Amino acid sequence: MEAFLASTLAVAIAEIGDKTQLLALLLAARFKNKTAIVSGILVATLLNHFAAAWLGQWAMNRFSGEVGSWLIAASFFAIALWVLVPDKADEEENRFYRFGPFIATCILFFIAEIGDKTQIATVVLSARYDDLLMVVTGTTVGMLLANVPVVLLGDYSNEKLPLDWIRRGCALLFAGLGVTTLLLG
C-alpha cells in the first residue's frame, strides 16, 4: 500500500504544470469528446509507466542493496530539482489529430511522457518499492488525478493554480523520498 500511495502522490503533484498536463489542456480545447481524451491518457500512461516500472525493477536487480539505495536517493534528489523548472507545451502535432481524440491522445501522450519527469519518477519509484503493480497503478492514478480535472475544467484549472508553490511542494516531496530512502535503505 505504501508503494501505491507514494506513487500516486508523487506523480499527481509532479504532473501539475507538466508538459503532459499542458498537452491534456490542448487536447481538451481541440476535441469535444472528453471521455475519449481521458481514456487515451489512461491507456498511454499504463503502457508508458509499465515499461518505466519494469526498467526500474530491472535496473535494481543489477546493483547491490547499498549502491542501489544511494542511486535511488540521488535520483529522487535530482527529480526534486527538476520539478522546480516549469515545462512548456511543445508545438501542436496536428498530424495525429486526424485519427480522432482517443488515438491522438494515446499517441501524443505516450510520446510526450517519454523522458518526462513523471516517467523518470516511475522508474525510480519502482526501483525503490519493488512492487511493479502497485507503482504502475499508483502512478497511473496520480496521472489521472492531475489530468482529468484539466480535461474537464479546461482553462480555469490552468490559470487558477499556484504553480510555483505546487512545484516547491513537489520538490520537497521528492527530496523527502530521497531522505527516506537513505535512512531506511
Side-chain angles (χ1 to χ4, degrees), residues 13-105:
I13 294 172
E15 181 65 10
I16 297 173
D18 191 65
K19 70 180 175 187
T20 46
Q21 191 177 51
L22 298 173
L23 175 60
L25 184 63
L26 289 172
L27 290 164
R30 172 71 170 93
F31 296 110
K32 299 282 184 230
N33 188 342
K34 307 305 184 204
T35 303
I37 296 168
V38 171
S39 298
I41 290 170
L42 173 64
V43 169
T45 301
L46 282 170
L47 293 172
N48 191 293
H49 287 199
F50 177 80
W54 177 85
L55 178 63
Q57 302 238 323
W58 176 83
M60 283 315 297
N61 288 330
R62 303 291 181 259
F63 298 103
S64 68
E66 189 173 325
V67 171
S69 291
W70 281 97
L71 287 172
I72 292 168
S75 298
F76 278 134
F77 292 132
I79 294 169
L81 293 173
W82 189 6
V83 296
L84 293 172
V85 179
D87 277 337
K88 295 178 180 71
D90 296 332
E91 291 183 23
E92 289 187 55
E93 300 197 29
N94 292 327
R95 67 180 184 263
F96 295 116
Y97 287 171
R98 69 176 185 217
F99 298 119
F102 176 74
I103 298 296
T105 301

Side-chain angles (χ1 to χ4, degrees), residues 136-185:
V136 172
T137 303
T139 59
T140 301
V141 168
M143 188 69 81
L144 292 173
L145 285 172
N147 285 301
V148 170
V150 169
V151 171
L152 299 178
L153 300 175
D155 289 328
Y156 178 79
S157 60
N158 195 36
E159 294 173 4
K160 302 296 182 192
L161 293 173
L163 294 180
D164 285 340
W165 285 100
I166 291 168
R167 276 192 276 281
R168 290 176 188 145
C170 186
L172 286 173
L173 172 70
F174 279 108
L177 287 168
V179 170
T180 303
T181 299
L182 288 175
L183 294 176
L184 300 178

